[in-house]
């Protein structure tokens, strides 16, 4: 029986954070045996809004690969590969751009939000506007049928499927499969500053490689309920970042429910809930940080993992490119 193919990935814009852990890495560990899984180090996509800082994009390739291995991604069971070294992805992207209109790209809700968030105004890098077509190339080149993404990314999968339908219609047969977006139950983790999303580029993340001191400081500075001034005051749990993190990471959810009740009634100080959260995060991150530090000593091994994974991915993506070219009846030499 063939296992369904999953494509996931991360932009190489910095080390991964506990939001990635809750939202996607934990699932990826689960998929390793039941699915054929490709993890894309998306350095080309990282450049679409980081062209001014190629050094960060380059450096982060190793950072993200280290994070994968440190959390337990096994390169023998999952394929870790590098986007910029898979030429078929770039070639398919160019081809797909002819199957989508500029108006459709501009209407994509994910792109609209991201353009606003990045403050591009009218100066949108063309590569950024077109990245949904590149993402369609990533997904289809692996013939992935399952793509785990955050809720806000679902319109990208829809756009990819539209391109797939157009290509299949032109080819007169289903050369490419459509993909299904799988949205993790965990939802997205807010930033330590209370902003809607923890992100590598937002400066509001706790990295999986954070030191004990960084974790301590991040939890101390965390946003709670601004009206909860004295211990005896009733406090708000909703929108309180400390409780949102406890929801995501506390293994004792029953104890947590009791704590929430007490906080709502009044009589529970922020210091207590922060201490509980800090202990949980220290325990979560410590083994990852230790494994990561050991792995980081052997750069040759990390390079080998990326090189071998990319080689495996190259065979797969080149085969798809040949399928598409031949299905469309383009010139072949
Ligand atoms: P950047 O700030 O450079 O965009 P990022 O932190 O948003 O980085 P991405 O590489 O864009 O990370 O996202 C990779 C994957 O991780 C996506 O599937 C995304 O939905 C998920 N993800 C990112 N941030 C969070 C978060 N705060 N909570 C849960 N999942 C997240
Ligand atoms: Mg992002």
């Amino acid at each position: 029986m063939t296992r369904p193919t999953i494509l996931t990935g991360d932009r190489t814009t910095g080390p991964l954070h506990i939001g990635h852990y809750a939202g996607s890495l934990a699932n990826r560990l689960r998929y390793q045996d039941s699915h054929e899984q490709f993890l894309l180090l998306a350095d080309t996509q990282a450049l679409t809004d980081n062209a001014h800082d190629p050094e960060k994009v380059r450096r982060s390739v190793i950072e993200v690969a280290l994070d994968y291995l440190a959390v337990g991604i096994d390169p023998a069971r999952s394929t870790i590969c590098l986007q910029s070294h898979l030429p078929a992805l770039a070639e398919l992207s160019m081809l797909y751009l002819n199957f989508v209109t500029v108006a459709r790209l501009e209407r994509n809700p994910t792109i609209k939000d991201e353009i606003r968030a990045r403050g591009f105004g009218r100066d949108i890098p063309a590569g950024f506007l077109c990245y949904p077509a590149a993402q369609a190339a990533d997904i289809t080149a692996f013939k992935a049928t399952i793509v785990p993404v955050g809720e806000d990314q679902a319109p990208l999968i829809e756009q990819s499927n539209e391109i797939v339908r157009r290509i299949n219609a032109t080819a007169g047969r289903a050369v490419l499969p459509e993909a299904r977006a799988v949205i993790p139950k965990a939802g997205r983790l807010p930033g330590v500053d209370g902003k809607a999303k923890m992100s590598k580029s937002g400066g509001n993340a706790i990295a999986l490689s954070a030191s004990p001191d960084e974790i301590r400081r991040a939890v101390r500075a965390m946003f709670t309920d601004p009206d909860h001034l004295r211990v005896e005051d009733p406090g708000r749990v909703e929108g309180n970042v400390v409780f949102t993190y406890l929801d995501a990471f506390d293994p004792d959810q029953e104890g947590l429910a009791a704590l929430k009740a007490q906080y709502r009634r009044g009589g529970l100080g922020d210091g207590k809930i922060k201490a509980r959260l800090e202990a949980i995060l220290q325990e979560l991150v410590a083994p990852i940080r230790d494994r990561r530090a050991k792995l980081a000593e052997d750069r040759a091994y990390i390079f080998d993992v990326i090189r071998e994974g990319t080689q495996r991915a190259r065979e797969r993506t080149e085969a798809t490119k040949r399928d598409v070219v031949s299905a469309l009846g383009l010139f072949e030499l």
Side-chain angles (χ1 to χ4, degrees), residues 34-73:
S34 52
H35 293 73
E36 182 188 36
Q37 181 169 239
F38 292 91
L39 283 83
L40 191 64
L41 298 164
D43 57 342
T44 309
Q45 196 196 112
L47 274 178
T48 62
D49 60 341
N50 286 283
H52 56 281
D53 197 357
E55 151 61 15
K56 176 176 83 178
V57 172
R58 182 188 63 80
R59 187 171 14 98
S60 302
V61 168
I62 297 290
E63 298 287 327
V64 176
L66 277 172
D67 286 322
Y68 285 167
L69 298 172
V71 297
I73 296 292

Side-chain angles (χ1 to χ4, degrees), residues 40-295:
L40 191 64
L41 298 164
D43 57 342
T44 309
Q45 196 196 112
L47 274 178
T48 62
D49 60 341
N50 286 283
H52 56 281
D53 197 357
E55 151 61 15
K56 176 176 83 178
V57 172
R58 182 188 63 80
R59 187 171 14 98
S60 302
V61 168
I62 297 290
E63 298 287 327
V64 176
L66 277 172
D67 286 322
Y68 285 167
L69 298 172
V71 297
I73 296 292
D74 173 5
R77 290 183 288 158
S78 299
T79 302
I80 299 174
C81 53
L82 183 59
Q83 192 178 32
S84 61
H85 284 53
L86 296 168
L89 300 185
E91 293 170 50
L92 286 172
S93 299
M94 284 305 286
L95 190 61
Y96 292 1
L97 281 172
N98 303 306
F99 289 85
V100 63
T101 64
V102 173
R104 177 65 179 90
L105 289 165
E106 285 172 340
R107 267 204 319 274
N108 186 311
T110 309
I111 295 296
K112 270 192 179 160
D113 287 349
E114 292 185 347
I115 285 172
R116 211 173 304 124
R118 283 164 178 72
F120 283 145
R122 289 199 44 79
D123 297 322
I124 307 162
F128 190 86
L129 185 65
C130 297
Y131 96 72
Q135 200 149 307
D138 300 339
I139 296 167
T140 56
F142 291 96
K143 297 203 171 160
T145 52
I146 300 172
V147 185
V149 286
E151 209 172 343
D152 59 312
Q153 308 278 304
L156 294 170
I157 312 303
E158 197 33 58
Q159 183 146 32
S160 173
N161 286 336
E162 273 176 41
I163 294 175
V164 165
R165 288 194 285 271
R166 289 211 172 137
I167 290 185
N168 288 344
T170 308
R173 65 183 169 89
V175 57
L176 296 172
E178 291 191 35
R180 190 161 55 85
V182 174
I183 298 166
K185 271 199 262 358
R188 74 177 13 189
L189 203 69
V192 293
D193 55 358
K195 288 221 178 90
K197 180 180 181 298
M198 175 175 287
S199 93
K200 296 188 224 97
S201 316
N204 61 0
I206 298 178
L208 289 171
S209 47
S211 69
D213 198 45
E214 285 169 329
I215 297 172
R216 192 171 313 122
R217 272 185 285 130
V219 174
R220 272 201 199 141
M222 223 169 247
F223 183 90
T224 55
D225 170 4
D227 298 324
H228 186 235
L229 299 176
R230 287 169 307 175
V231 174
E232 56 273 25
D233 290 342
R236 232 176 324 126
V237 165
E238 288 69 32
N240 184 321
V241 180
V242 178
F243 279 109
T244 309
Y245 284 31
L246 285 169
D247 281 336
F249 297 106
D250 196 331
D252 173 16
Q253 291 286 317
E254 246 171 65
L256 176 59
L259 218 58
K260 284 182 182 172
Q262 193 190 349
Y263 193 81
R264 285 197 181 100
R265 274 198 311 272
L268 180 61
D270 285 350
K272 285 247 171 63
I273 56 168
K274 285 189 172 181
R276 181 181 176 110
L277 177 63
E278 196 209 319
I280 291 166
L281 293 183
Q282 295 287 10
E283 201 170 315
L284 172 79
V285 170
I288 300 174
R289 182 179 56 232
D290 293 350
R291 272 197 301 273
R292 198 181 190 282
K294 277 203 199 78
L295 286 158

